[in-house]
Amino acid sequence: IFCKDELESYGNSLHSCGTFTAWCNSHLRKAGTQIENIEEDFRDGLKLMLLLEVISGERLAKPERGKMRVHKISNVNKALDFIASKGVKLVSIGAEEIVDGNAKMTLGMIWTIILRFAIQDISVEETSAKEGLLLWCQRKTAPYKNVNIQNFHISWKDGLGFCALIHRHRPELIDYGKLRKDDPMTNLNTAFDVAEKYLDIPKMLDAEDIVGTARPDEKAIMTYVSSFYHAFSGAQKAETAANRICKVLAVNQENEQLMEDYEKLASDLLEWIRRTIPWLENRMPENTMQAMQQKLEDFRDYRRLHKPPKVQEKCQLEINFNTLQTKLRLSNRPAFMPSEGKMVSDINNAWGNLEGAEKGYEEWLLNEIRRLERLDHLAEKFRQKAAIHEAWTEGKEDMLQKRDYETASLSEIKALLKKHEAFESDLAAHQDRVEQIAAIAQELNELDYYDSPSVNARCQRICDQWDALGALTQKRSEALQRTEKLLETIDQLYLEFAKRAAPFNNWMEGAMEDLQDTFIVHTIEEIQGLSAAHEQFKATLPEADKERLAILGIHNEIAKIVQTYHVNIAGTNPYTTINPQEINAKWDKVRQLVPQRDQALIEEHARQQNNERLRRQFANQANVIGPWIQTKMEVSSTLTLPLPSSFSPLQHIRVGWEQLLTTIARTINEIENQILTRDAKGISQEQLNEFRASFNHFDRKRTGIMDPEDFKTCLISMGYNLGENEFSRIMSIVDPNRMGLVTFQAFIDFMSRETADTDTADQVMASFKVLAGDKNYILADELRRELPPDQAEYCIARMAPYTGPDGVPGALDYMSFSTALYGESDL
């Protein structure tokens, strides 16, 4: 609602006059006319009505063509009635002021028109529309240095804000890096000239007026900046079109890669089958069992090592084929047809031939082996007996030559002696087998067996080894008996060492625990008791050191026996895990801990003295404050509450705590829903953060809900160019129950649908048309300017030349390319 006084205040600024005149002419020239003097040229109401028709796109009532005052007032009233029909109420304002050439009222009226149709759209709240336009400017200029848009007056004085808006949308028009903040005249004139020449935005401001004024006219700046907003509103469409094309191309590139992978995997598998079948069909027999066994081993390697990976490749090939077909079907692409001979059925047929050859080869191998087994029966009998004997003798020489008794304990030596006696009995039992082996070798020689040399050599090795085993057995028996006697002496010394070391070790461990034990005392008397006990402990140390030296003397006696008789002691003392090094280490630790304990007791004694002093200070102060607290408690007990007496302050705290927990749970649920929306709709985290920031900015009451006017202002700040019908359509989506509010979840769902649209051939074609500037063809430079480099080159390489009558050299046919992406023609 605008009253007369407000309109006059709007018209007080003389700086706005030129700006308003230029703004009106930017629209009137579309109707082939213009104004020279804004105070005089609108007096008859004709051009005022024409201006409203141009900016609204609607027809007004037929104007009066007469030149009398009554005709002029009638025309101006028609214009004012039309403004009022658009939600702008003009109170106590008559057409007479405009007809009489009242400059302030005329300028004020033009400002209300600018607010309604260029800045606020249908909103009648100037503040919200102003904030929306300011937020749009801040977002667009955020990446630029030396630009900090906070208002519509002094933030624009240096001209960098205007240059940044132009460079953000049309970087080829201005070399922003060469601009200087200390040269505002150059910056302003550059922006005004470029906007007029390339963006069709008339020069509404004067650089000298802006620089020479402490605070530039806010309405003039807002009017001029709104022209930039409307000029660049189409950039959002181009960005959306580019995003859709990038998504479609990414799907197509991924599918092509899957096709190439399938072709390569199929080729490799078929080539392996082609090389393997001739090997399996080879039936050339061997003369010896060894050669046939090698063939069998090779076949087993084939079954165990070579074939399983190929089985997995075949399975993966079928999986990849099915997955690719599913992806093509879901993305509206034609089904994939592999190269000739590489269908899944072709691979299955080749695999069946492979398994047929494999089965025949295995049967042939088994028959050949059975034939050689019959021929070599006698030789096999020799080998079996020899193998059994060799298996029994395997490791026996090494076992007999072991000097394990040199490091064994007494119990282990006794066990070794019993084990050796058992071996001597086993050796005698194997005498008969050795004689049988020699007899079979003799028989093979008499029958002139073809491999007799190897049989004789093996038999000789067995006989020689048998003789050596007998000699080594006797030698080991003597060594074991000698070692047993020495270890029995050492065992007695070990036992004595263990009996004395254990209690001494326990004493040292207890002492270390006591010395390192953390003490907690509260009085000087307690720390004095600990200090006395510590002094008593230190008095026992000399006697303990004598016991330590006596224990170490036993160990030294053991070492002397070992050195004299060259006995290797295996392991440690069997009766204890305590060793001299450990005893010395713990003793040294005890000696180190004693002075540390002394220092700790001294420090604690000093601390307790300080604590005693603090306790006395506290008691003195408590004696003063205590009566005061008691008095206040008695006063508070006399106060009454309307609630039951059991409803204490603790109850208020509990209720507040429960409300806090509920709020946290609700917030967590809201964030989880946002994550689900982001993942399901395919929007990025950056987009989600931007949606949240926009919603929070216009949620003025911080309730998580926007009213329709705030919601509309939010959409305008995000680049939406809204008409009344379009906004009504959007409100029916976000507020289907007509509650008059927009929740954050409804806002996120709407923005997700806007940014995560599914693609079709028509949509992709329409997107290319936006990038091409509504032409039926597109140029390579336009693709490289609008798309990422790899996807731009992808399109250029696959688009056919445009053959239409309106084409130019280098024109590309994006229409056939779009249909090819969805299988409606060849790509």
Side-chain angles (χ1 to χ4, degrees), residues 144-160:
Y144 293 85
K145 63 179 181 179
N146 296 327
V147 178
N148 183 18
I149 304 301
Q150 298 295 329
N151 48 56
F152 286 107
H153 36 83
I154 61 175
S155 292
W156 303 86
K157 285 193 65 175
D158 59 10
L160 292 178

Side-chain angles (χ1 to χ4, degrees), residues 324-342:
L324 175 59
Q325 299 293 37
T326 300
K327 287 187 176 182
L328 291 173
R329 183 173 65 256
L330 292 176
S331 58
N332 300 324
R333 268 62 167 186
F336 168 58
M337 288 296 294
S339 304
E340 184 178 358
K342 296 180 182 177

Side-chain angles (χ1 to χ4, degrees), residues 504-517 534 537 540-541 586-587 589-591 593-594 597:
F504 185 71
N505 182 67
N506 290 336
W507 176 85
M508 289 193 296
E509 289 179 346
M512 287 189 293
E513 290 178 2
D514 293 340
L515 290 172
Q516 297 179 92
D517 185 37
H534 182 61
F537 166 78
T540 63
L541 292 179
K586 290 181 179 180
W587 177 256
K589 182 65 175 178
V590 170
R591 298 297 298 272
L593 291 174
V594 168
R597 185 71 168 188

Side-chain angles (χ1 to χ4, degrees), residues 392 399-400 412-429 472-474 476-478 480-481 484:
W392 179 84
M399 183 270 291
L400 293 172
E412 290 171 344
I413 286 294
K414 292 183 180 295
L416 289 175
L417 277 169
K418 292 181 179 179
K419 183 178 179 181
H420 187 70
E421 293 172 358
F423 173 77
E424 290 176 332
S425 300
D426 195 17
L427 183 68
L472 291 173
T473 300
Q474 181 61 31
R476 181 173 175 80
S477 178
E478 295 172 354
L480 289 171
Q481 293 173 6
E484 180 185 22

Side-chain angles (χ1 to χ4, degrees), residues 266 270 338-347:
L270 289 172
S339 304
E340 184 178 358
K342 296 180 182 177
M343 292 290 293
V344 173
S345 58
D346 297 329
I347 294 173

Side-chain angles (χ1 to χ4, degrees), residues 677-691:
T677 300
R678 180 196 66 191
D679 295 340
K681 300 295 185 180
I683 60 178
S684 66
Q685 185 64 43
E686 182 180 354
Q687 288 174 306
L688 191 61
N689 292 339
E690 183 177 353
F691 297 159

Side-chain angles (χ1 to χ4, degrees), residues 3 64 89 173 192 230 409 471 504 520 535 539 575 582 604 614 624 629 636 650 659 669 676 710 746 803:
C3 63
E64 301 287 344
K89 296 182 180 180
L173 298 180
F192 297 161
H230 292 292
S409 64
F504 185 71
I520 301 176
E535 292 299 324
Y575 301 105
E582 183 179 356
E604 182 61 24
L614 293 175
V624 176
I629 294 175
S636 63
L650 288 178
Q659 291 175 349
N669 180 256
L676 291 175
D710 288 340
T803 57

